[in-house]
Amino acid sequence: MSFTLAKTERLAAILSQTPVIPVLTFSDAKSGLETAKALRDGGLTVLEVTMRTPKALEALKAIVDEVEGVTVGAGTILEPEHVQQAIESGASFLVSPGSSSRLLGAASEAPVPWLPGVSTVSEAMQLSERGATFAKFFPAGPAGGPAFLKSLVAPLPELHFVPTGGIDMSNVQDYLKLRNVACCGGSWVAPQDAIDAGDWGKIQSLAKEAAALKAR
């Protein structure tokens, strides 16, 4: 089994801390530190740093080492080597846009929980067969949105989702009200233009608004 009870419980505890997980892309460690502090001060304490830039791991490690009160995961995990790199940088959980046999093998051996992505019923069933209780639903908007997830409640009642992609304050509550949604992921709480401009006040304000949301 790829998903152990211990790691599933740890992931459940992480996801239950927040209605929204900011999905973050950093070009340097300094912007990562300041963004993380602004999000934390706004009430969002679970963060996903995507592995999309050369400085991503450096930013993740800096946040883990220097920003108290946050739980930091590594996103856009695509290869087995990414798993080890993220763990060495201090990631508390891993997130992928999809899943593969190679990733399943690497993630099953990792000491931290993994949130794999799905966008179809077949993918969701395959993960459920392996013991998964949580999956990222990506890209949420193009893949069917809230209506798609609502249709999975009856056939897959044990599987819960973290929809990500195409979500903002205009539609996030449509997801959070669903029984099978644990929380949502999104970049709107820390827009790239605000990060680039160093507008930490704007990010804190957006985080405060998102933190006030309630799941179900």
Side-chain angles (χ1 to χ4, degrees):
M1 182 179 293
S2 298
F3 301 89
T4 66
L5 178 60
K7 284 194 282 187
T8 296
E9 289 176 342
R10 285 165 62 189
L11 184 58
I14 291 170
L15 300 180
S16 68
Q17 294 177 35
T18 183
V20 176
I21 298 177
V23 179
L24 309 165
T25 302
F26 299 123
S27 58
D28 58 77
K30 181 180 178 181
S31 63
L33 286 172
E34 296 302 327
T35 302
K37 291 174 185 176
L39 290 166
R40 176 202 62 191
D41 294 346
L44 295 180
T45 58
V46 179
L47 316 177
E48 177 189 332
V49 177
T50 66
M51 301 293 99
R52 298 178 188 169
T53 68
K55 296 291 187 178
L57 290 169
E58 183 180 327
L60 190 155
K61 189 175 189 308
I63 296 169
V64 170
D65 290 345
E66 301 183 39
V67 183
E68 294 183 2
V70 296
T71 301
V72 190
T76 321
I77 299 294
L78 304 176
E79 303 288 344
E81 54 264 35
H82 294 167
V83 173
Q84 188 60 37
Q85 292 168 353
I87 292 168
E88 290 174 353
S89 298
S92 293
F93 63 100
L94 310 172
V95 185
S96 299
S99 64
S100 67
S101 57
R102 294 172 69 226
L103 266 183
L104 280 164
S108 66
E109 298 174 3
V112 300
W114 176 47
L115 183 69
V118 302
S119 61
T120 69
V121 177
S122 293
E123 290 170 348
M125 288 176 62
Q126 289 167 7
L127 285 176
S128 184
E129 286 178 357
R130 289 179 173 269
T133 303
F134 297 97
K136 175 178 180 175
F137 176 50
F138 177 83
F148 178 86
L149 289 181
K150 185 177 181 179
S151 70
L152 296 186
V153 172
L156 297 171
E158 302 304 319
L159 196 58
H160 291 75
F161 298 91
V162 179
T164 307
I167 300 176
D168 56 28
M169 283 300 295
S170 70
N171 61 4
V172 63
Q173 206 65 280
D174 294 334
Y175 290 94
L176 292 176
K177 69 183 181 181
L178 299 177
R179 282 170 36 197
N180 59 346
V181 168
C183 60
C184 290
S187 59
W188 87 91
V189 290
Q192 200 61 48
D193 59 351
I195 294 175
D196 294 340
D199 192 347
W200 317 124
K202 178 179 180 180
I203 293 172
Q204 183 175 340
S205 178
L206 290 169
K208 185 176 181 179
E209 184 181 32
L213 296 167
K214 300 293 183 184
R216 294 185 299 284

